[in-house]
Amino acid sequence: MTLKKILVTGGAGYIGAHTVVELYASGYTPVIIDNFSKSDRTLLEGIEKITGKSLIFHEGDCADRKFLKEVFEKEGDLDGVMHFAAYKSVGESVEHPVMYYQNNLNSLLTLVEVMKEHKVNNLIFSSSCTVYGEPDSIPVDESAPFKKAESPYGATKQMCEQILEDAVRADKKLKVTSLRYFNPIGAHPSAMLGELPIDRPNNLVPYITQTAIGIRKKLVIFGGDYDTPDGTCIRDFIHIVDLAQAHVKAIDKLLGKNEDEHYQYFNLGTGQGVSVLQLVKEFIEVTGVKLNYEIGPRRAGDVVKTYANSAKVQTELGWSAQYAAKDALRDAWAWEKRLRGLTT
Ligand code: UDP
């Protein structure tokens, strides 16, 4: 039996790399492409250490049609694609909107065209809970409307989902599942793989761990005057390994025989709302380290409160989160320490 081959764009990034590990564990053969614009080769080494596999890897940009076509031609028999390659920072997208639209839309459009040319019909797309904008009610389920996006990043995810829905409607062979991530955090429990921002982190947990280890002076919590119990934003923090495993469930379903609708979408969250301040306190409690933090001004583009209703993914894909936020914080800290040469 030949193993199913899955192209993983952005496979050297945080979510992509953890998913590659889970794909190998489930008997798939991932083919990674990455241009290292926001990622580092260290993660590829981490995947190799965990899996013991020598990776299939092509360096390049998936908005580069010539490069992408060469990969499809060379690999020949791809069964599906997971598209992680995208810019992902809310704050940065407010400062550089055109760069975000350019990158996130072009890479998807190019990919979908090249897939069609090569008769590859199965795609898992990295979407985000930001598609809901500021939801009217929480927990938010998949029937919630796309309200106005709070950031250009969120708008790119809305547009990409629209493009995919239209593409599926026009092409009966194409099957797409969009996975709407809430806030992935943590690291592989082996501490061999984790989040590695190439410069100043934009996301909360790497900023926490870099501050705790002494690389950053202070964590600023963006906004303490929101209409929430402690005044800070509320998110649904999901362990990266749980998130990665959901991708395997999604591709299993997509490649299996089914008569389902060809465009599907699922929330990926724990169903628990946790405030930014609660998460910071939990980090201090779980690790026992000191953390220099203060409440600062709000950050433009932030949704105030969101967490997932995850009933649909549980029913249809048989997936639910297994780890708690404290597990993710412990694993993120172990990874940060290993990365900086401190024993765990
Ligand atoms: N956040 C913060 N300080 C930081 C980074 C993030 O207070 O240095 C907050 C941010 O305002 C948001 C939450 O943490 O309320 C999660 O932000 P992140 O960028 O990790 O993910 P997002 O929800 O924007 O996708």
Side-chain angles (χ1 to χ4, degrees):
M1 192 189 84
T2 52
L3 298 177
K4 293 218 159 55
K5 223 178 193 184
I6 307 296
L7 183 71
V8 182
T9 78
Y14 176 47
I15 304 175
H18 285 83
T19 303
V20 167
V21 169
E22 299 304 325
L23 282 170
Y24 273 124
S26 298
Y28 287 96
T29 302
V31 174
I32 298 172
I33 64 177
D34 207 294
N35 65 357
F36 297 113
S37 72
K38 299 276 181 189
S39 56
D40 190 289
R41 282 169 214 276
T42 310
L43 294 203
L44 296 183
E45 290 161 19
I47 301 171
E48 287 184 328
K49 283 195 188 119
I50 293 168
T51 61
K53 306 275 186 188
S54 40
L55 304 180
I56 308 171
F57 172 71
H58 303 272
E59 181 171 352
D61 188 334
C62 60
D64 175 347
R65 179 182 305 269
K66 186 168 167 289
F67 161 74
L68 203 58
K69 283 169 78 82
E70 278 166 14
V71 171
F72 274 71
E73 269 148 36
K74 189 152 182 242
E75 295 298 337
D77 49 356
L78 292 167
D79 295 282
V81 179
M82 291 188 179
H83 182 45
F84 296 98
Y87 294 158
K88 63 162 188 176
S89 163
V90 165
E92 187 183 54
S93 80
V94 174
E95 284 162 35
H96 302 286
V98 176
M99 184 177 100
Y100 266 67
Y101 288 113
Q102 173 97 346
N103 185 66
N104 291 4
L105 296 177
N106 274 346
S107 63
L108 180 76
L109 291 166
T110 309
L111 177 65
V112 172
E113 281 181 348
V114 175
M115 282 176 66
K116 193 173 170 77
E117 283 163 22
H118 291 82
K119 301 185 173 51
V120 178
N121 292 313
N122 300 296
L123 174 65
I124 306 285
F125 174 66
S126 295
S127 188
S128 162
C129 63
T130 54
V131 296
Y132 300 119
E134 187 71 56
D136 288 328
S137 62
I138 44 175
V140 60
D141 68 40
E142 290 86 346
S143 67
F146 284 12
K147 294 179 63 193
K148 184 172 166 29
E150 296 290 325
S151 65
Y153 163 74
T156 68
K157 294 297 176 186
Q158 291 180 336
M159 290 173 189
C160 286
E161 282 211 36
Q162 184 67 60
I163 290 166
L164 289 170
E165 197 176 346
D166 291 344
V168 164
R169 195 173 301 124
D171 177 354
K172 296 287 171 260
K173 290 205 188 80
L174 183 62
K175 291 196 288 178
V176 178
T177 300
S178 289
L179 298 176
R180 297 175 181 164
Y181 310 152
F182 282 67
N183 286 62
I185 60 166
H188 194 269
S190 65
M192 297 290 177
L193 202 56
E195 196 163 2
L196 184 51
I198 51 166
D199 34 47
R200 201 168 184 272
N202 290 302
N203 293 109
L204 179 60
V205 169
Y207 214 103
I208 292 176
T209 56
Q210 288 197 7
T211 307
I213 210 132
I215 297 172
R216 311 275 154 207
K217 280 208 178 72
K218 182 168 50 183
L219 168 78
V220 177
I221 294 180
F222 299 137
D225 58 351
Y226 285 109
D227 181 20
T228 60
D230 64 18
T232 67
C233 289
I234 291 177
R235 293 287 182 276
D236 183 334
F237 296 100
I238 170 173
H239 196 296
I240 186 68
V241 171
D242 275 331
L243 191 88
Q245 287 172 350
H247 288 74
V248 177
K249 297 266 189 189
I251 195 75
D252 286 347
K253 175 115 190 271
L254 210 56
L255 298 184
K257 285 195 179 70
N258 65 61
E259 304 300 321
D260 292 324
E261 279 174 60
H262 282 192
Y263 183 66
Q264 294 199 303
Y265 42 91
F266 299 102
N267 284 344
L268 293 184
T270 66
Q272 304 287 322
V274 173
S275 81
V276 172
L277 185 60
Q278 269 176 297
L279 195 80
V280 166
K281 288 183 175 164
E282 201 157 349
F283 176 81
I284 295 167
E285 201 182 299
V286 166
T287 61
V289 298
K290 279 197 184 150
L291 186 72
N292 186 20
Y293 71 91
E294 68 177 28
I295 308 277
R298 294 178 176 193
R299 176 176 77 176
D302 270 337
V303 166
V304 181
K305 43 188 169 187
T306 187
Y307 58 94
N309 175 325
S310 9
K312 186 180 177 203
V313 65
Q314 186 156 12
T315 311
E316 294 186 31
L317 295 187
W319 173 90
S320 61
Q322 302 300 309
Y323 291 97
K326 68 170 171 16
D327 303 316
L329 293 169
R330 186 200 55 226
D331 292 339
W333 181 231
W335 157 251
E336 185 71 61
K337 285 198 289 184
R338 203 188 138 267
L339 199 58
R340 311 301 166 188
L342 301 181
T343 46
T344 58

PDB file of all heavy atoms in Angstrom, residues 285-315:
ATOM      1  N   GLU A 285       2.070  30.310  37.891  1.00  0.00           N
ATOM      2  CA  GLU A 285       1.749  29.225  38.818  1.00  0.00           C
ATOM      3  C   GLU A 285       2.343  27.881  38.357  1.00  0.00           C
ATOM      4  O   GLU A 285       2.963  27.173  39.139  1.00  0.00           O
ATOM      5  CB  GLU A 285       0.228  29.114  38.880  1.00  0.00           C
ATOM      6  CG  GLU A 285      -0.298  28.420  40.111  1.00  0.00           C
ATOM      7  CD  GLU A 285      -1.820  28.340  40.016  1.00  0.00           C
ATOM      8  OE1 GLU A 285      -2.463  29.406  39.950  1.00  0.00           O
ATOM      9  OE2 GLU A 285      -2.342  27.212  39.982  1.00  0.00           O
ATOM     10  N   VAL A 286       2.192  27.607  37.074  1.00  0.00           N
ATOM     11  CA  VAL A 286       2.640  26.309  36.552  1.00  0.00           C
ATOM     12  C   VAL A 286       4.163  26.197  36.537  1.00  0.00           C
ATOM     13  O   VAL A 286       4.722  25.134  36.810  1.00  0.00           O
ATOM     14  CB  VAL A 286       2.093  26.115  35.107  1.00  0.00           C
ATOM     15  CG1 VAL A 286       2.782  24.977  34.384  1.00  0.00           C
ATOM     16  CG2 VAL A 286       0.606  25.881  35.151  1.00  0.00           C
ATOM     17  N   THR A 287       4.847  27.301  36.214  1.00  0.00           N
ATOM     18  CA  THR A 287       6.302  27.227  36.043  1.00  0.00           C
ATOM     19  C   THR A 287       7.057  27.661  37.302  1.00  0.00           C
ATOM     20  O   THR A 287       8.235  27.341  37.450  1.00  0.00           O
ATOM     21  CB  THR A 287       6.766  28.145  34.892  1.00  0.00           C
ATOM     22  OG1 THR A 287       6.413  29.496  35.236  1.00  0.00           O
ATOM     23  CG2 THR A 287       6.110  27.760  33.584  1.00  0.00           C
ATOM     24  N   GLY A 288       6.409  28.433  38.151  1.00  0.00           N
ATOM     25  CA  GLY A 288       7.090  28.949  39.342  1.00  0.00           C
ATOM     26  C   GLY A 288       8.106  30.039  39.032  1.00  0.00           C
ATOM     27  O   GLY A 288       8.911  30.405  39.892  1.00  0.00           O
ATOM     28  N   VAL A 289       8.105  30.558  37.800  1.00  0.00           N
ATOM     29  CA  VAL A 289       9.077  31.610  37.479  1.00  0.00           C
ATOM     30  C   VAL A 289       8.459  32.996  37.679  1.00  0.00           C
ATOM     31  O   VAL A 289       7.239  33.153  37.661  1.00  0.00           O
ATOM     32  CB  VAL A 289       9.631  31.518  36.033  1.00  0.00           C
ATOM     33  CG1 VAL A 289      10.363  30.222  35.810  1.00  0.00           C
ATOM     34  CG2 VAL A 289       8.537  31.722  35.008  1.00  0.00           C
ATOM     35  N   LYS A 290       9.341  33.969  37.848  1.00  0.00           N
ATOM     36  CA  LYS A 290       8.870  35.348  37.970  1.00  0.00           C
ATOM     37  C   LYS A 290       8.580  35.890  36.575  1.00  0.00           C
ATOM     38  O   LYS A 290       9.284  35.554  35.622  1.00  0.00           O
ATOM     39  CB  LYS A 290       9.980  36.205  38.571  1.00  0.00           C
ATOM     40  CG  LYS A 290      10.087  36.106  40.061  1.00  0.00           C
ATOM     41  CD  LYS A 290      10.909  37.286  40.542  1.00  0.00           C
ATOM     42  CE  LYS A 290      11.144  37.196  42.025  1.00  0.00           C
ATOM     43  NZ  LYS A 290      12.420  37.813  42.398  1.00  0.00           N
ATOM     44  N   LEU A 291       7.600  36.712  36.474  1.00  0.00           N
ATOM     45  CA  LEU A 291       7.311  37.316  35.174  1.00  0.00           C
ATOM     46  C   LEU A 291       7.027  38.797  35.370  1.00  0.00           C
ATOM     47  O   LEU A 291       6.145  39.167  36.152  1.00  0.00           O
ATOM     48  CB  LEU A 291       6.102  36.619  34.538  1.00  0.00           C
ATOM     49  CG  LEU A 291       5.795  37.070  33.114  1.00  0.00           C
ATOM     50  CD1 LEU A 291       6.835  36.538  32.136  1.00  0.00           C
ATOM     51  CD2 LEU A 291       4.413  36.578  32.686  1.00  0.00           C
ATOM     52  N   ASN A 292       7.813  39.614  34.675  1.00  0.00           N
ATOM     53  CA  ASN A 292       7.607  41.057  34.763  1.00  0.00           C
ATOM     54  C   ASN A 292       6.523  41.455  33.766  1.00  0.00           C
ATOM     55  O   ASN A 292       6.720  41.339  32.568  1.00  0.00           O
ATOM     56  CB  ASN A 292       8.943  41.743  34.432  1.00  0.00           C
ATOM     57  CG  ASN A 292       8.883  43.233  34.635  1.00  0.00           C
ATOM     58  OD1 ASN A 292       8.005  43.731  35.353  1.00  0.00           O
ATOM     59  ND2 ASN A 292       9.799  43.948  34.011  1.00  0.00           N
ATOM     60  N   TYR A 293       5.373  41.866  34.269  1.00  0.00           N
ATOM     61  CA  TYR A 293       4.308  42.266  33.342  1.00  0.00           C
ATOM     62  C   TYR A 293       3.558  43.477  33.861  1.00  0.00           C
ATOM     63  O   TYR A 293       3.572  43.762  35.060  1.00  0.00           O
ATOM     64  CB  TYR A 293       3.335  41.113  33.079  1.00  0.00           C
ATOM     65  CG  TYR A 293       2.430  40.742  34.244  1.00  0.00           C
ATOM     66  CD1 TYR A 293       1.175  41.342  34.399  1.00  0.00           C
ATOM     67  CD2 TYR A 293       2.827  39.785  35.171  1.00  0.00           C
ATOM     68  CE1 TYR A 293       0.346  40.983  35.457  1.00  0.00           C
ATOM     69  CE2 TYR A 293       1.996  39.434  36.230  1.00  0.00           C
ATOM     70  CZ  TYR A 293       0.759  40.033  36.370  1.00  0.00           C
ATOM     71  OH  TYR A 293      -0.060  39.702  37.418  1.00  0.00           O
ATOM     72  N   GLU A 294       2.947  44.191  32.933  1.00  0.00           N
ATOM     73  CA  GLU A 294       2.099  45.313  33.330  1.00  0.00           C
ATOM     74  C   GLU A 294       0.951  45.453  32.334  1.00  0.00           C
ATOM     75  O   GLU A 294       1.028  44.959  31.211  1.00  0.00           O
ATOM     76  CB  GLU A 294       2.903  46.619  33.393  1.00  0.00           C
ATOM     77  CG  GLU A 294       3.372  47.082  32.039  1.00  0.00           C
ATOM     78  CD  GLU A 294       4.115  48.411  32.081  1.00  0.00           C
ATOM     79  OE1 GLU A 294       4.727  48.726  33.119  1.00  0.00           O
ATOM     80  OE2 GLU A 294       4.085  49.113  31.042  1.00  0.00           O
ATOM     81  N   ILE A 295      -0.092  46.122  32.784  1.00  0.00           N
ATOM     82  CA  ILE A 295      -1.210  46.384  31.883  1.00  0.00           C
ATOM     83  C   ILE A 295      -0.896  47.656  31.098  1.00  0.00           C
ATOM     84  O   ILE A 295      -0.504  48.668  31.684  1.00  0.00           O
ATOM     85  CB  ILE A 295      -2.523  46.603  32.681  1.00  0.00           C
ATOM     86  CG1 ILE A 295      -2.768  45.459  33.678  1.00  0.00           C
ATOM     87  CG2 ILE A 295      -3.701  46.843  31.738  1.00  0.00           C
ATOM     88  CD1 ILE A 295      -3.417  44.220  33.147  1.00  0.00           C
ATOM     89  N   GLY A 296      -1.021  47.578  29.783  1.00  0.00           N
ATOM     90  CA  GLY A 296      -0.748  48.742  28.940  1.00  0.00           C
ATOM     91  C   GLY A 296      -1.968  49.101  28.103  1.00  0.00           C
ATOM     92  O   GLY A 296      -3.071  48.589  28.341  1.00  0.00           O
ATOM     93  N   PRO A 297      -1.753  49.959  27.088  1.00  0.00           N
ATOM     94  CA  PRO A 297      -2.882  50.346  26.241  1.00  0.00           C
ATOM     95  C   PRO A 297      -3.393  49.192  25.375  1.00  0.00           C
ATOM     96  O   PRO A 297      -2.693  48.213  25.158  1.00  0.00           O
ATOM     97  CB  PRO A 297      -2.299  51.458  25.358  1.00  0.00           C
ATOM     98  CG  PRO A 297      -0.841  51.438  25.558  1.00  0.00           C
ATOM     99  CD  PRO A 297      -0.503  50.619  26.744  1.00  0.00           C
ATOM    100  N   ARG A 298      -4.605  49.361  24.880  1.00  0.00           N
ATOM    101  CA  ARG A 298      -5.184  48.370  23.970  1.00  0.00           C
ATOM    102  C   ARG A 298      -4.371  48.268  22.682  1.00  0.00           C
ATOM    103  O   ARG A 298      -3.718  49.249  22.303  1.00  0.00           O
ATOM    104  CB  ARG A 298      -6.613  48.779  23.600  1.00  0.00           C
ATOM    105  CG  ARG A 298      -7.573  48.743  24.770  1.00  0.00           C
ATOM    106  CD  ARG A 298      -8.951  49.198  24.318  1.00  0.00           C
ATOM    107  NE  ARG A 298      -9.922  49.088  25.401  1.00  0.00           N
ATOM    108  CZ  ARG A 298     -11.244  49.168  25.233  1.00  0.00           C
ATOM    109  NH1 ARG A 298     -11.750  49.395  24.032  1.00  0.00           N
ATOM    110  NH2 ARG A 298     -12.055  49.044  26.254  1.00  0.00           N
ATOM    111  N   ARG A 299      -4.455  47.123  22.017  1.00  0.00           N
ATOM    112  CA  ARG A 299      -3.812  46.959  20.702  1.00  0.00           C
ATOM    113  C   ARG A 299      -4.895  47.062  19.639  1.00  0.00           C
ATOM    114  O   ARG A 299      -5.942  46.436  19.771  1.00  0.00           O
ATOM    115  CB  ARG A 299      -3.152  45.576  20.658  1.00  0.00           C
ATOM    116  CG  ARG A 299      -2.519  45.226  19.325  1.00  0.00           C
ATOM    117  CD  ARG A 299      -1.796  43.894  19.376  1.00  0.00           C
ATOM    118  NE  ARG A 299      -2.701  42.744  19.321  1.00  0.00           N
ATOM    119  CZ  ARG A 299      -2.293  41.478  19.270  1.00  0.00           C
ATOM    120  NH1 ARG A 299      -1.001  41.194  19.301  1.00  0.00           N
ATOM    121  NH2 ARG A 299      -3.162  40.491  19.214  1.00  0.00           N
ATOM    122  N   ALA A 300      -4.609  47.829  18.589  1.00  0.00           N
ATOM    123  CA  ALA A 300      -5.598  47.968  17.504  1.00  0.00           C
ATOM    124  C   ALA A 300      -5.847  46.610  16.861  1.00  0.00           C
ATOM    125  O   ALA A 300      -4.929  45.819  16.686  1.00  0.00           O
ATOM    126  CB  ALA A 300      -5.077  48.944  16.455  1.00  0.00           C
ATOM    127  N   GLY A 301      -7.096  46.346  16.521  1.00  0.00           N
ATOM    128  CA  GLY A 301      -7.435  45.128  15.768  1.00  0.00           C
ATOM    129  C   GLY A 301      -7.892  43.965  16.624  1.00  0.00           C
ATOM    130  O   GLY A 301      -8.325  42.944  16.093  1.00  0.00           O
ATOM    131  N   ASP A 302      -7.780  44.080  17.960  1.00  0.00           N
ATOM    132  CA  ASP A 302      -8.136  42.947  18.815  1.00  0.00           C
ATOM    133  C   ASP A 302      -9.647  42.764  18.956  1.00  0.00           C
ATOM    134  O   ASP A 302     -10.376  43.715  19.243  1.00  0.00           O
ATOM    135  CB  ASP A 302      -7.544  43.123  20.225  1.00  0.00           C
ATOM    136  CG  ASP A 302      -6.158  42.525  20.350  1.00  0.00           C
ATOM    137  OD1 ASP A 302      -5.826  41.628  19.551  1.00  0.00           O
ATOM    138  OD2 ASP A 302      -5.399  42.962  21.251  1.00  0.00           O
ATOM    139  N   VAL A 303     -10.084  41.527  18.813  1.00  0.00           N
ATOM    140  CA  VAL A 303     -11.439  41.131  19.214  1.00  0.00           C
ATOM    141  C   VAL A 303     -11.431  41.111  20.745  1.00  0.00           C
ATOM    142  O   VAL A 303     -10.428  40.760  21.361  1.00  0.00           O
ATOM    143  CB  VAL A 303     -11.750  39.734  18.630  1.00  0.00           C
ATOM    144  CG1 VAL A 303     -12.968  39.108  19.260  1.00  0.00           C
ATOM    145  CG2 VAL A 303     -11.905  39.827  17.114  1.00  0.00           C
ATOM    146  N   VAL A 304     -12.545  41.481  21.393  1.00  0.00           N
ATOM    147  CA  VAL A 304     -12.541  41.565  22.862  1.00  0.00           C
ATOM    148  C   VAL A 304     -12.663  40.170  23.485  1.00  0.00           C
ATOM    149  O   VAL A 304     -11.838  39.771  24.302  1.00  0.00           O
ATOM    150  CB  VAL A 304     -13.682  42.485  23.368  1.00  0.00           C
ATOM    151  CG1 VAL A 304     -13.634  42.585  24.894  1.00  0.00           C
ATOM    152  CG2 VAL A 304     -13.581  43.860  22.726  1.00  0.00           C
ATOM    153  N   LYS A 305     -13.712  39.465  23.123  1.00  0.00           N
ATOM    154  CA  LYS A 305     -13.854  38.138  23.725  1.00  0.00           C
ATOM    155  C   LYS A 305     -14.394  37.130  22.715  1.00  0.00           C
ATOM    156  O   LYS A 305     -15.350  37.410  21.994  1.00  0.00           O
ATOM    157  CB  LYS A 305     -14.741  38.160  24.973  1.00  0.00           C
ATOM    158  CG  LYS A 305     -15.978  38.989  24.857  1.00  0.00           C
ATOM    159  CD  LYS A 305     -16.688  39.115  26.201  1.00  0.00           C
ATOM    160  CE  LYS A 305     -17.763  40.171  26.068  1.00  0.00           C
ATOM    161  NZ  LYS A 305     -18.425  40.540  27.259  1.00  0.00           N
ATOM    162  N   THR A 306     -13.738  36.009  22.697  1.00  0.00           N
ATOM    163  CA  THR A 306     -14.215  34.928  21.838  1.00  0.00           C
ATOM    164  C   THR A 306     -13.750  33.591  22.393  1.00  0.00           C
ATOM    165  O   THR A 306     -12.656  33.481  22.941  1.00  0.00           O
ATOM    166  CB  THR A 306     -13.744  35.105  20.376  1.00  0.00           C
ATOM    167  OG1 THR A 306     -14.367  34.112  19.574  1.00  0.00           O
ATOM    168  CG2 THR A 306     -12.244  35.030  20.217  1.00  0.00           C
ATOM    169  N   TYR A 307     -14.608  32.603  22.317  1.00  0.00           N
ATOM    170  CA  TYR A 307     -14.207  31.213  22.516  1.00  0.00           C
ATOM    171  C   TYR A 307     -15.175  30.326  21.759  1.00  0.00           C
ATOM    172  O   TYR A 307     -16.253  30.763  21.356  1.00  0.00           O
ATOM    173  CB  TYR A 307     -14.042  30.826  23.991  1.00  0.00           C
ATOM    174  CG  TYR A 307     -15.236  30.998  24.888  1.00  0.00           C
ATOM    175  CD1 TYR A 307     -16.113  29.941  25.135  1.00  0.00           C
ATOM    176  CD2 TYR A 307     -15.470  32.206  25.529  1.00  0.00           C
ATOM    177  CE1 TYR A 307     -17.193  30.083  25.984  1.00  0.00           C
ATOM    178  CE2 TYR A 307     -16.548  32.368  26.381  1.00  0.00           C
ATOM    179  CZ  TYR A 307     -17.418  31.309  26.608  1.00  0.00           C
ATOM    180  OH  TYR A 307     -18.488  31.462  27.437  1.00  0.00           O
ATOM    181  N   ALA A 308     -14.739  29.082  21.552  1.00  0.00           N
ATOM    182  CA  ALA A 308     -15.420  28.230  20.573  1.00  0.00           C
ATOM    183  C   ALA A 308     -16.551  27.414  21.158  1.00  0.00           C
ATOM    184  O   ALA A 308     -16.441  26.897  22.271  1.00  0.00           O
ATOM    185  CB  ALA A 308     -14.403  27.266  19.959  1.00  0.00           C
ATOM    186  N   ASN A 309     -17.594  27.250  20.387  1.00  0.00           N
ATOM    187  CA  ASN A 309     -18.477  26.106  20.556  1.00  0.00           C
ATOM    188  C   ASN A 309     -17.874  25.037  19.647  1.00  0.00           C
ATOM    189  O   ASN A 309     -17.764  25.233  18.440  1.00  0.00           O
ATOM    190  CB  ASN A 309     -19.896  26.474  20.102  1.00  0.00           C
ATOM    191  CG  ASN A 309     -20.836  25.289  20.148  1.00  0.00           C
ATOM    192  OD1 ASN A 309     -20.426  24.165  19.882  1.00  0.00           O
ATOM    193  ND2 ASN A 309     -22.090  25.546  20.452  1.00  0.00           N
ATOM    194  N   SER A 310     -17.432  23.931  20.230  1.00  0.00           N
ATOM    195  CA  SER A 310     -16.747  22.929  19.398  1.00  0.00           C
ATOM    196  C   SER A 310     -17.582  21.671  19.176  1.00  0.00           C
ATOM    197  O   SER A 310     -17.034  20.600  18.919  1.00  0.00           O
ATOM    198  CB  SER A 310     -15.380  22.566  19.975  1.00  0.00           C
ATOM    199  OG  SER A 310     -15.181  23.089  21.231  1.00  0.00           O
ATOM    200  N   ALA A 311     -18.896  21.814  19.268  1.00  0.00           N
ATOM    201  CA  ALA A 311     -19.771  20.640  19.108  1.00  0.00           C
ATOM    202  C   ALA A 311     -19.680  20.050  17.698  1.00  0.00           C
ATOM    203  O   ALA A 311     -19.670  18.833  17.513  1.00  0.00           O
ATOM    204  CB  ALA A 311     -21.216  21.024  19.423  1.00  0.00           C
ATOM    205  N   LYS A 312     -19.592  20.922  16.681  1.00  0.00           N
ATOM    206  CA  LYS A 312     -19.655  20.427  15.298  1.00  0.00           C
ATOM    207  C   LYS A 312     -18.450  19.530  14.982  1.00  0.00           C
ATOM    208  O   LYS A 312     -18.606  18.446  14.417  1.00  0.00           O
ATOM    209  CB  LYS A 312     -19.707  21.629  14.345  1.00  0.00           C
ATOM    210  CG  LYS A 312     -19.923  21.238  12.897  1.00  0.00           C
ATOM    211  CD  LYS A 312     -19.979  22.457  11.982  1.00  0.00           C
ATOM    212  CE  LYS A 312     -20.117  22.052  10.533  1.00  0.00           C
ATOM    213  NZ  LYS A 312     -19.657  23.091   9.603  1.00  0.00           N
ATOM    214  N   VAL A 313     -17.269  19.988  15.369  1.00  0.00           N
ATOM    215  CA  VAL A 313     -16.069  19.206  15.043  1.00  0.00           C
ATOM    216  C   VAL A 313     -16.067  17.901  15.830  1.00  0.00           C
ATOM    217  O   VAL A 313     -15.612  16.863  15.352  1.00  0.00           O
ATOM    218  CB  VAL A 313     -14.781  20.046  15.264  1.00  0.00           C
ATOM    219  CG1 VAL A 313     -14.562  20.421  16.711  1.00  0.00           C
ATOM    220  CG2 VAL A 313     -13.570  19.331  14.707  1.00  0.00           C
ATOM    221  N   GLN A 314     -16.612  17.934  17.033  1.00  0.00           N
ATOM    222  CA  GLN A 314     -16.680  16.718  17.839  1.00  0.00           C
ATOM    223  C   GLN A 314     -17.616  15.700  17.177  1.00  0.00           C
ATOM    224  O   GLN A 314     -17.269  14.531  17.029  1.00  0.00           O
ATOM    225  CB  GLN A 314     -17.177  17.061  19.233  1.00  0.00           C
ATOM    226  CG  GLN A 314     -17.140  15.860  20.158  1.00  0.00           C
ATOM    227  CD  GLN A 314     -17.058  16.267  21.622  1.00  0.00           C
ATOM    228  OE1 GLN A 314     -17.238  17.426  21.980  1.00  0.00           O
ATOM    229  NE2 GLN A 314     -16.787  15.298  22.468  1.00  0.00           N
ATOM    230  N   THR A 315     -18.768  16.167  16.730  1.00  0.00           N
ATOM    231  CA  THR A 315     -19.729  15.261  16.100  1.00  0.00           C
ATOM    232  C   THR A 315     -19.231  14.759  14.747  1.00  0.00           C
ATOM    233  O   THR A 315     -19.298  13.573  14.453  1.00  0.00           O
ATOM    234  CB  THR A 315     -21.066  16.006  15.866  1.00  0.00           C
ATOM    235  OG1 THR A 315     -21.417  16.650  17.072  1.00  0.00           O
ATOM    236  CG2 THR A 315     -22.174  15.067  15.438  1.00  0.00           C
TER     237      THR A 315
END
